[in-house]
Amino acid sequence: MKFVSDLASSDLIKQARTAGLCWHIGPFVVRMRTPLRDVAREVAFLYEHFPLGSNEGFIDFDVSVRAKGPFGRWISLSVNGDVTFDWFRRHLALPLFEWALHGCIFHRSHQYFKLHSAVVEKGGQAVILPAPPGSGKSTLCAALVSRGWRLLSDEVAMIQPADGWLVPVPRPIGLKEKSIGVIRNFAPEAKLGPAWPGTPKGAVAHMQPPLESALRVQETVKPAWLVFPAYRPGASAKLASLSKARALLRAAENSFNYSILGRLGFETLARLVQECHCYEFEYSDLNEAVLQLEQLRSQPQLVAAAV
Amino acid sequence: MPVQRWAACGAGELIWRHWETDEWLVYHVPSGETHLLNDLAAAALQVLQQECLTLDSLMRHLSDEQEVAADCDLQLRLEELLQHFDELGLIESVR
Amino acid sequence: MLRLLKDSATTATLELKQWNGVLAQAYRTGLLPRLGWQLLHDDPHSRVPDAVRASLESACTISDHVRRGVRWEVNRIEHALRRTDAQVVLLKGAAYIMADLPNGPGRLVSDVDILVPKDRLLEVEQALLEHGWESLKRHEYDDHYYRAWMHELPPLFHPGRRSIIDVHHTLLPPLGRLQLDPAALFEAARPLPGSRFYVLAPEDMILHSAAHLFQEENLSGGLRDLVDLDCLLRHFADVESDFWSRLPSRADQLGLNRTLYYTVRFLRQILHTPMPDELIAQADAWKPKWPVPQIMDRLGALAMLPSHFERHPQLVAGANSLLYVRAHWLKMPPRLLLKHLLSKLQRSWFPPQAAEA
């Protein structure tokens, strides 16, 4: 099997400029077409551990990035022929590429039940961390992943309605503003792309999914915990038990397609809360947070007694 | 004047889940809405799924089942509940 | 994509990578769920590769959701209108779904359109307002424009369900160049079994959809409307007696001859809808003087067909705005049109300070 990292830089650039560069992200096939060398290189860096795909096959998300205007100072990005972002400044190409892929995965592919959450796994058990944007879940996710948890996703839990198992779709973890510095400190060995200033969400940088997470992308896993994280400055890491009924409603509020799936959405989520232990989680210090979740995993009975 | 009787949706249209005390989830298939009900509200809706009842009959039924006094307070709560259920389309007035 | 819509057996001839283009075009024209429904549920001759199946099923999931939403919305409208006996006719998408017509599955619907007799309009609006709907007042001028000149009330919005109802009292604007007498429509309307609602008679349904397509402001949704027309025509030709002669005589009666001419022309050219020669000849007799048919063809095709958009995006933008002016021209007398367009232009430069929810 060949990976993105197997391509020589010149081949990579040529491929992106002509037929397009294809690779697999979990169950999806993505193609990027762009004549812009730097964009091709940046994307290839973030996805270097992912297997290459074929231009002869079916492509789920076909992303095209082109320069526009005099001196090519702006770009336009389209997905499957539809212009998604137009006349954005050139340096935003990479964040926009990532956001475009978010949009594709979140708002299409309804063969999965999807929660807006991070998902990580260790020892065969997965934690789902649903939270709205801006809640710090990506930072927490990056911290966990730097401490040995496998990354399934930092943005979306994809659940198979038939059996309730989680399907990995690991992608670069998007870090914003202060989080970039926090993670650089917390995990100096983590591979981060450049920080891109001036996006609508401030400066954005991306952490590469670790090699192991990328290699184990085919391994589905059963969810064991549903934990709603909330970053509160100054708070000590604390888990509080949540009733299953309330956990279901909160999870539904954080779902991309609970309503769209109708009855199947309700039944899938009901099974999820039935089979998981459900908690609210308050924290401020990342080390403490990681320790608390580690304890949850290795000594669940102690945690259950404490809450 | 004929007294108003109420009936809830058929069995296939309400899907129930219940784990902890006083918290009942019901998914209403036709509207796609999910409701969190307490013990009394859940009991009322479940009774109306079985039988078509007036407010008075419902009150007596629930008073026995839930072991609460059949007083003005209960009547008021049930009146509000029925109006709320009606607005949500969970129950219907039947002639 | 058009070939697939016409004949699902064509699926067997497609290479895997050709599906990319087909699905992209279907998505852009709002026809992906329809294609999904046809290929996965309707036609035993279709062969869909596994890799593609998930995308089509996902699209069907969305249209199933829309269908449930429309059914519930109609249920709530019935609930709100239970104290009035006004005759209420469901139109367009809601009608196709509630009447179980073959273009219901896979149809995307963005709001519910109903037709109500003019003298019952306020009564119906009042009942809806009492049951949670609100009037979408964007700007006093628009409200005035709607009530005075258009054929519908300003849209009613339900904040709880985030749904919209358009309440019409006739099907074409009362001050436009084409006049339509709604009494005939109400008389011919057919009741839906088990419901207080009606739907338009088959010929009226066709003519309404066609009038909407060829006189509305934006033809880029047009391919989907053409597919509706094709589907309905085939169905009615099958189940209704004398349908092919009833259609043109009704068009004549309602003053929609030109509309029927365009319908026949575009359906034959783009979707190859089977039609008897008599109908074609009759419609042809109503064509406008040259060069209008040729210009409409080019403009219409440019706006409707997705492959044109891919190659010449500039051209389509131009085609659409030409049609926009044309559509308004049909709706309002020219002196009022100019005033309205100027006002719309002003508001887009200087939006009102307080935006209403």
Side-chain angles (χ1 to χ4, degrees), chain A residues 242-246 248-249 258-259 261-263 266-267 270 273-274, chain B residues 12 15-17 19-20 23-27 29 32-36:
Chain A
L242 191 56
S243 81
K244 291 186 187 291
R246 290 189 191 276
L248 187 145
L249 290 180
Y258 177 74
S259 302
L261 291 179
R263 177 186 183 137
F266 175 72
E267 288 171 342
V273 302
Q274 166 114 6
Chain B
I15 307 180
W16 294 90
R17 290 289 190 276
W19 296 284
E20 287 103 349
E23 290 185 353
W24 296 74
L25 281 176
V26 65
Y27 179 79
V29 177
E33 289 166 359
T34 314
H35 306 281
L36 178 63

Side-chain angles (χ1 to χ4, degrees), chain C residues 185-206:
Chain C
L185 301 172
F186 282 109
E187 207 186 296
R190 296 186 183 179
L192 276 180
S195 155
R196 54 93 42 83
F197 294 110
Y198 290 74
V199 292
L200 294 174
E203 326 54 287
D204 294 344
M205 211 183 258
I206 298 283

Side-chain angles (χ1 to χ4, degrees), chain B residues 76-88:
Chain B
L76 220 62
R77 283 168 72 190
L78 285 180
E79 264 172 12
E80 263 177 28
L81 202 56
L82 289 178
Q83 194 188 10
H84 191 56
F85 283 164
D86 183 35
E87 271 162 24
L88 292 170

